[in-house]
Amino acid sequence: MTLAAEIVPVTPFQQNCCIFYDTEDKSAVVVDPGGDVERIEEAVKRLGVAVEAIWITHGHIDHAGGAMDLKEALGVPIVGPHRADAMLLDRLEDQARMFGLTGAVRNCVPDRWLEEGEILSFGTHRFEVIHAPGHAPGHVVFFNRDAQFLHAGDVLFSGSIGRTDLPGGDHAQLLDTIRRKILPLGDEIGFICGHGPGSRLGVERRTNPFLR
Ligand SMILES: [Zn+2]
Ligand SMILES: [Zn+2]
């Protein structure tokens, strides 16, 4: 069984909505459908996959703003983030107004909150849930140990880290999360993130200017 990831950039923030799927049995999940739901649905159709759930890394509009519409379109549950982001998810429509966005953003009510150490799976693929606060208090990331692969959300980027000037952000906590919970996963771990290209943890440990 082979794990694949299809990226669909969504919203004016060019957020990497990610469709994880199995190339053989076509099971799939959609991570962070922030908006542009019709484009996500097109990608699901083109890939010919059967989406089992929507996974959310954290409660910002560019990651969760389209989740309720996609849930209704696909008839699947919304899983995550950690309940510490409930306050953000309750106010997605306010966030949209703050950023001057109009349109389809809706407040989000997950079907299930996630805790540190839980295992999420689809097909034969297992992802460990890591609670990774700092960018947002309820941020979670998804680690596939077999594939040596991490979905880092907005915690860590290629050459950068998540912003911490939004409600609930905490720069010191974010650095602590990255140093204590993310980098120890191993230098060889490849990751994708919410914005821009992915990278490897070892490359970021050595070269990311925010981790010096
Ligand atoms: Zn964010
Ligand atoms: Zn983002």
Side-chain angles (χ1 to χ4, degrees):
M1 296 294 183
T2 307
L3 177 67
E6 173 85 3
I7 301 293
V8 184
V10 295
T11 81
F13 299 95
Q14 290 292 291
Q15 199 275 123
N16 293 327
C17 174
C18 171
I19 304 170
F20 280 129
Y21 65 101
D22 186 284
T23 55
E24 287 151 55
D25 74 11
K26 301 288 185 185
S27 57
V29 293
V30 176
V31 184
D32 286 356
D36 298 322
V37 167
E38 56 304 320
R39 293 190 33 228
I40 301 169
E41 290 186 73
E42 276 168 28
V44 166
K45 280 206 191 82
R46 175 166 44 78
L47 295 168
V49 296
V51 175
E52 297 178 0
I54 295 164
W55 297 353
I56 305 286
T57 62
H58 67 292
H60 287 156
I61 31 171
D62 49 331
H63 297 257
M68 294 299 270
D69 281 352
L70 188 65
K71 169 193 159 95
E72 287 169 10
L74 299 179
V76 298
I78 298 172
V79 179
H82 185 280
R83 72 174 69 249
D85 269 10
M87 281 181 27
L88 294 172
L89 292 167
D90 283 344
R91 292 185 193 139
L92 290 176
E93 291 158 30
D94 292 340
Q95 284 184 44
R97 275 189 288 278
M98 190 174 98
F99 286 109
L101 297 180
T102 53
V105 170
R106 284 168 64 192
N107 292 340
C108 175
V109 183
D111 296 280
R112 174 181 160 195
W113 299 111
L114 291 173
E115 300 284 346
E116 171 87 13
E118 282 193 67
I119 305 286
L120 292 179
S121 61
F122 68 93
T124 58
H125 306 288
R126 291 161 51 88
F127 290 75
E128 298 168 31
V129 174
I130 300 170
H131 184 205
H135 172 70
H139 201 307
V140 293
V141 299
F142 305 115
F143 178 48
N144 187 313
R145 199 173 285 276
D146 294 331
Q148 296 281 282
F149 187 77
L150 175 73
H151 190 306
D154 281 359
V155 171
L156 181 64
F157 302 115
S158 174
S160 187
I161 62 174
R163 61 190 284 188
T164 50
D165 58 332
L166 296 169
D170 183 324
H171 185 73
Q173 188 181 41
L174 179 61
L175 288 176
D176 182 65
T177 287
I178 293 170
R179 293 214 173 96
R180 212 165 43 77
K181 299 177 112 176
I182 305 298
L183 295 182
L185 297 174
D187 279 356
E188 65 289 355
I189 304 300
F191 70 89
I192 59 171
C193 45
H195 305 268
S199 179
R200 266 178 210 285
L201 293 183
V203 171
E204 298 314 307
R205 187 178 58 73
R206 288 190 299 273
T207 66
N208 191 313
F210 294 89
L211 304 180
R212 292 274 160 81

